[in-house]
Amino acid sequence: MNSNLRVLGAIANITPMMGLLGTVIGMIKAFNVISLSGTGNPGLVASGISEALITTQMGLVVAIPMLLLGNMLNGWSDRIYSKLESTVLQQIAQKS
């Protein structure tokens, strides 16, 4: 039951890293624009910063629900497993 939960966990862990990578790429672009054209035109720099923030946002938009869903499903799976184990132990005790 828990095998598919690993995929949710992986998604929840990887997407913020992908967002961070996008942030770094966007900031590199922003600083590259500053190095080429100076600080006189904030509109040019804003594009790179905007890209950086959007990728961070999207990474978190995916990761947070995956984390919540994974934890919820993991708890559900644990409860089912506990009930199943308890039922089996009761059946064994009754037959002994």
Side-chain angles (χ1 to χ4, degrees), residues 8-96:
L8 288 178
I11 292 171
N13 286 320
I14 291 170
T15 52
M17 295 299 122
M18 292 173 63
L20 182 60
L21 176 62
T23 300
V24 171
I25 291 170
M27 295 307 291
I28 289 170
K29 286 181 180 180
F31 283 113
N32 190 36
V33 168
I34 290 172
S35 72
L36 295 175
S37 64
T39 59
N41 189 350
L44 294 174
V45 177
S47 171
I49 294 172
S50 174
E51 179 181 329
L53 293 174
I54 289 170
T55 58
T56 302
Q57 175 192 16
M58 293 312 297
L60 293 173
V61 162
V62 172
I64 291 169
M66 290 297 113
L67 248 166
L68 292 172
L69 181 63
N71 286 334
M72 184 182 73
L73 291 174
N74 194 27
W76 181 59
S77 172
D78 287 347
R79 283 190 301 277
I80 290 173
Y81 182 80
S82 293
K83 287 179 183 178
L84 182 61
E85 183 180 40
S86 175
T87 302
V88 168
L89 290 174
Q90 286 175 359
Q91 292 296 321
I92 291 171
Q94 287 176 357
K95 290 184 180 187
S96 296

